[in-house]
Amino acid sequence: MAFLNSFIMYLGKFVFYVILAICGIFAGKKLRDRKDAKAAMENPDTKIKE
């Protein structure tokens, strides 16, 4: 029974960290896209990657 409780505890932590990592990836992408768009507005010669 102790093994099952420990396994569930580690599984919960793993799921939490995976969700946290995915949120960080999406937030970083959104911030980078915003920065690239701002740079393109300031310098129209800059090409935006799509």
Side-chain angles (χ1 to χ4, degrees):
M1 195 65 170
F3 173 75
L4 186 60
N5 286 339
S6 293
F7 181 74
I8 291 171
M9 192 78 140
Y10 282 118
L11 187 63
K13 287 180 184 180
F14 176 73
V15 169
F16 173 75
Y17 288 135
V18 167
I19 291 170
L20 190 65
I22 291 171
C23 289
I25 290 168
F26 279 113
K29 179 156 178 32
K30 187 172 202 84
L31 289 170
R32 184 65 201 197
D33 289 343
R34 188 179 298 163
K35 183 178 179 181
D36 289 344
K38 185 179 178 185
M41 293 283 285
E42 292 175 358
N43 186 3
D45 296 334
T46 306
K47 303 231 179 191
I48 298 176
K49 296 179 185 177
E50 292 184 23

